[in-house]
Amino acid sequence: MRGTVFNIQRYSLHDGPGIRTTVFLKGCPLRCWWCHNPESQSCRHEIMVFKERCQACGICEKKCPEKAISIEDSFIDINNEKCNLCGLCTDLCPNNVFEYVGKDMSVQEIMKEIEKDEIFYEESDGGVTFSGGEPMIQVDFLNEVLRLCKERGFHTAVDVSGYGAWENFKKVADKVDLFLYDLKFIDDEKHKKYIEVSNELIIDNLKKLSEIRANIYVRMPIIKGINDNDEDIDESIKFLSQLNILQVNLLPYHKIGMDKYKRIGMEYKLSGFERPSDEKINEIAMKFNKAGIKVKIGG
Ligand code: SF4
Ligand code: SF4
């Protein structure tokens, strides 16, 4: 069995307890306006283009077998409809303008990568986190890697959007030590606007995970002017107070992934919004604390 991976990050401190190896699987059913891994969204492999590094030498344009590359007025462009993802340009360019995103790996290959960091898991009470994209989109592959991780005694966390069939959650739940569960907006109208789907399924799956007593950290992005107001925060607290969750992570909005959008020819729709102030984030954290919900600022 093979899965599509776009990154394996070692020594991660933000994706669950201890030192972790985070495996990023490609593909996501959602299109959050501020997604900081837009290269994770498509299930297909992709070429990321760092246009600013190009010196217009013309090698790639000449050699591309599909004539997918053009240089006009020193600006490089790839026609994605013509590109067959052969990867030749990534090897040829002397300035590393092209980066290949996506790698098909077998379960055994992934396990080999994970096992390299075993010593860190033992020393730090860490483990392995599966993120994305949405790792549940490759549920059979995920399930098999989780099974082997549990066999090896590794702590497992899965970072999920919640937007998927409950059957899939049931399939993996007994092999997941911790769900990192994204709850972006409690207000369904905002959810429909900025995530482009209703939050109904996400809320429903979260309730079900809580009912089966899964270990859950709820992750909430906080965006100034969108969901940092009292009404949204109070509603979130009211809802989460009824569930069995271990903690809430408040994730102040940032623009770190913004440049990546240009590199894969996508539009960044949330420009113009800012990170909330530290005072505001602390104030929100206090509200959660007062309601008896353990809260942490950051991942
Ligand atoms: S990946 Fe291959 S087909 Fe696509 S632009 Fe590069 S050289 Fe051309
Ligand atoms: S090979 Fe690299 S530097 Fe040369 S034109 Fe192509 S992208 Fe630009």
Side-chain angles (χ1 to χ4, degrees):
M1 196 187 296
R2 296 180 84 75
T4 306
V5 174
F6 75 95
N7 193 12
I8 297 177
Q9 193 176 311
R10 302 184 184 283
Y11 320 119
S12 171
L13 298 172
H14 302 291
D15 298 318
I19 298 175
R20 311 195 68 84
T21 300
T22 304
V23 178
F24 292 87
L25 300 180
K26 203 156 161 28
C28 184
L30 300 182
R31 294 292 177 266
C32 308
W33 282 21
W34 64 89
C35 172
H36 55 267
N37 285 330
E39 76 278 29
S40 72
Q41 293 180 351
S42 165
C43 295
R44 294 183 68 223
H45 294 191
E46 285 167 276
I47 303 280
M48 231 196 234
V49 187
F50 294 75
K51 295 187 182 194
E52 67 283 3
R53 296 181 192 163
C54 175
Q55 293 187 346
C57 70
I59 297 173
C60 59
E61 189 184 34
K62 235 178 266 164
K63 299 275 184 183
C64 170
E66 302 299 324
K67 302 279 171 249
I69 301 177
S70 57
I71 304 171
E72 270 174 44
D73 298 331
S74 301
F75 285 108
I76 186 125
D77 206 9
I78 288 194
N79 181 331
N80 287 322
E81 280 170 20
K82 287 187 181 172
C83 172
N84 67 6
L85 298 166
C86 71
L88 184 65
C89 54
T90 62
D91 293 334
L92 287 179
C93 174
N95 295 320
N96 297 320
V97 168
F98 306 102
E99 191 178 302
Y100 198 94
V101 186
K103 186 175 179 190
D104 292 338
M105 296 178 79
S106 68
V107 171
Q108 290 72 24
E109 284 168 334
I110 292 273
M111 286 309 295
K112 235 187 231 172
E113 292 301 317
I114 289 170
E115 282 163 1
K116 285 180 189 168
D117 298 332
E118 189 171 353
I119 181 108
F120 297 107
Y121 314 149
E122 281 166 13
E123 283 183 5
S124 70
D125 288 329
V128 189
T129 299
F130 298 90
S131 184
E134 164 55 79
M136 299 285 277
I137 214 167
Q138 301 187 49
V139 68
D140 291 330
F141 178 75
L142 174 68
N143 194 39
E144 185 55 12
V145 183
L146 284 168
R147 189 184 68 75
L148 293 172
C149 283
K150 290 319 299 168
E151 247 179 46
R152 295 297 315 270
F154 301 154
H155 181 276
T156 58
V158 180
D159 180 8
V160 293
S161 70
Y163 195 74
W166 173 244
E167 289 307 307
N168 292 344
F169 283 94
K170 269 206 318 206
K171 197 179 268 187
V172 301
D174 61 340
K175 299 160 213 91
V176 178
D177 294 311
L178 177 65
F179 282 95
L180 307 171
Y181 199 105
D182 294 352
L183 180 64
K184 278 123 183 170
F185 298 106
I186 195 77
D187 178 328
D188 201 25
E189 288 315 307
K190 288 181 187 168
H191 207 280
K192 284 178 187 156
K193 178 171 179 186
Y194 296 108
I195 316 291
E196 304 183 4
V197 294
S198 165
N199 63 11
E200 243 174 71
L201 180 61
I202 294 166
I203 285 187
D204 201 40
N205 283 331
L206 180 53
K207 282 183 189 162
K208 287 176 175 159
L209 276 182
S210 160
E211 276 162 23
I212 64 167
R213 300 263 168 185
N215 293 321
I216 310 167
Y217 286 2
V218 170
R219 314 235 272 190
M220 292 180 55
I222 304 293
I223 307 169
K224 185 178 174 181
I226 299 186
N227 66 348
D228 63 343
N229 60 77
D230 287 346
E231 200 185 332
D232 283 9
I233 297 300
D234 292 346
E235 272 302 301
S236 304
I237 290 174
K238 196 169 141 198
F239 169 61
L240 293 172
S241 300
Q242 302 157 23
L243 304 182
N244 300 303
I245 57 166
L246 297 175
Q247 125 176 349
V248 167
N249 287 66
L250 301 176
L251 309 176
Y253 165 71
H254 60 70
K255 297 179 180 175
I256 285 173
M258 203 161 107
D259 285 347
K260 292 185 185 174
Y261 282 75
K262 280 184 267 166
R263 290 175 193 148
I264 52 171
M266 287 169 68
E267 180 197 357
Y268 186 76
K269 294 185 183 168
L270 208 70
S271 49
F273 285 89
E274 297 299 328
R275 187 190 193 282
S277 65
D278 289 347
E279 292 73 34
K280 187 71 192 174
I281 292 289
N282 287 333
E283 188 190 304
I284 293 170
M286 287 282 285
K287 279 194 161 199
F288 277 91
N289 270 328
K290 266 193 195 156
I293 299 174
K294 188 177 169 200
V295 69
K296 187 178 166 210
I297 297 170

